[in-house]
Amino acid sequence: MCGIIGIASNKSVSMNIINSLKKLEYRGYDSAGLATLNNNEINEKKCSGRVEQLEKILFKTSAEGNLGIGHVRWATHGVPNTINAHPHSTEIVSVVHNGIIENSNDLKKQLELKGLKFKSQTDTEVITLLLTNELKTHQPFDAVHKTLKQLKGSFALGIIFKNFKDIIIGARRGSPLAVGYSKDENYLGSDSYALKTMTNKISYLDDGDICVLTKDNVSFYDVKKNKINKEVFILSDDKNVSDKGDYKNFMSKEIFEQPITAKNCIHEYVDKIRDDINFYNFPIKPQSINKIVLVGCGTAYHSCLVAKYWFEAFTSLNVETDIASEFRYRNVRFNKNNLYLFVSQSGETADTAAALDLCKKNGIKTCSIVNVVESSIARNSDWVLPIHAGPEIGVASTKAFIGQMLVIYMLCLKIADLRGDMKKKDYQKKISNIKKLPELLERCLKVEDKIQLIAKDFLDSKGSMFLGRGSSFPIALEGALKLKELSYLHAEGYPAGEMKHGPLALIENGLPVIVIAPHDKYFHKTVSNMQEVIARGGKILLITDSNENIVNENIRFKIDLPLVEESLSPFLFTIPLQLLAYHVALLKKCDIDKPRNLAKSVTVE
Ligand code: AGP
């Protein structure tokens, strides 16, 4: 939810901190700040708003020093203003934090009783004052260790000390933290993305770890203060990551990249020579699986909902889906023969990570479907299935959604084949259909011009409904989520058959209703539901691949998509909905890549 950076160097660090914070803004952008150590003085600069505001401050009053920490914030405790921005410093220590300290109120009371004064409303300042207290009698490492033992909740920390000009201490519990290595410089960061412009050599802290970092060396310690070693990963080279090319923003780039990213994903998993799908090392033999459980948040959860229809159609398995923030607190009946699939683009979503952790604590094998293979969720899973979509920077997830669905679709086919639930000829047919998907997505993108005209209709609407049946229902949910998070307009995804049980009361003259109607077994029932809406004045945008002639003057717009095997319709029908949300948001002049109040990776619960 927030982004952390720390740099120990043989040269000034403030501009590198600023550049890294810009890379981290997708994790939160309510406020920004940094602190450097110069001539044994902590030099703190921070502000509400974006990193560029902080940069302007630095142009006026530089922050010298070869050692420093920085932070971009997504507010959890305290409004996003300068006082609550990180770092939180006293004269002798400065702290940046990502996470939530759940016992901060109790600790605050104890510290105030000792006469310590708080300036902010944040939980993080509690850490700063605890450290200040411990540093009166302990060296930095022990002061940190004693402080962490008093904290309940999650944290990734970067800490610098007035009288110790060479060290940055990092610590991790529940929120991601990485270390980067370079000549005469070492780094601390929330994730590899912030560090990869400075180095491709990365290690990751695990929960309970502490690291002590100087410009020449990094030492790691476990929760018992034992010195430990950490594997050094060499990051792949994503030259084009930070480059929008000719696109206005990352989201449009990522929408139009979908045919390529789908092709890359298919290339990774489909063996063109043997015409087979390459999934190996199943954590449970497919023949022994008795239930599939899919867990995720937001868009990732919607891919779980779509997958339920595929597993029920192609296999003899029971299927359960759950929102991660619900799953982690439910009284789950674990079964070692259930295959638990955790879906997460970032691989850092706290609720999904906690749900996975709950499985591991119950001795259950886990599988994660992620975009970031170095992420915490991936490293904590028994089996990782990357979606190969390349870094997704836009907060609204697009190409990752297609990638998640694609990996789950291929996994479902493979399990159906290995279990004998699907005839070989059907399996081969579906593989050949998958290969056509990139070209079909390309064709769907061509509806953009028509979507731009339709988008104008949404600007003055009070809200909108997205309707679908079967696997089109989760696509309706996804379309509504895209419109909400990008344009800040209310939108609701609903099962088309459910409208008559209440929500039909919402329909009034001119209300935009998007009807998702592939030519599947639900088609005619969905059209009937559409008629019910039309009879009450709803303004219809019908998206279909059916060539049936549906004429009605109240169908304000109709988008025709290429005809495709019905199990692939979730992929195609997502595209016009992404484009619709994008163009409405563009007309409303919303921030496309960084919508208000959101963050790309929600690493707190
Ligand atoms: C999707 O557009 C949203 N940004 C959000 O719902 C997102 O899908 C959710 O936070 C899960 O993120 P993850 O896939 O990184 O776990």
Side-chain angles (χ1 to χ4, degrees), residues 443-509:
R443 286 171 57 191
C444 290
L445 288 165
K446 294 188 182 349
V447 304
E448 183 182 30
D449 293 347
K450 201 164 183 183
I451 291 285
Q452 275 184 280
L453 298 175
I454 296 168
K456 292 191 180 67
D457 255 45
F458 281 77
L459 285 190
D460 49 11
S461 65
K462 276 195 321 192
S464 54
M465 296 291 291
F466 290 70
L467 305 180
R469 283 178 176 251
S471 62
S472 296
F473 163 46
I475 300 306
L477 293 175
E478 176 60 14
L481 175 62
K482 286 284 129 350
L483 190 62
K484 279 183 277 204
E485 65 179 328
L486 283 163
S487 69
Y488 318 150
L489 289 172
H490 184 71
E492 195 161 1
Y494 231 84
E498 254 317 85
M499 286 299 285
K500 52 190 176 292
H501 301 290
L504 210 53
L506 289 173
I507 305 303
E508 56 190 37
N509 200 35

Side-chain angles (χ1 to χ4, degrees), residues 297-300 343-347 349 395-397 404 481-482 485 600 602:
C297 297
T299 290
V343 186
S344 175
Q345 187 284 133
S346 62
T349 298
V395 166
S397 191
Q404 289 158 359
L481 175 62
K482 286 284 129 350
E485 65 179 328
K600 182 64 180 171
V602 184

Side-chain angles (χ1 to χ4, degrees), residues 192 196 199-202 233-239 241 373-374 390-391:
S192 55
K196 66 181 4 181
T199 179
N200 67 349
K201 298 180 187 65
I202 305 280
F233 296 90
I234 305 300
L235 294 179
S236 57
D237 180 12
D238 291 310
K239 276 269 179 296
V241 163
V373 291
E374 310 103 352

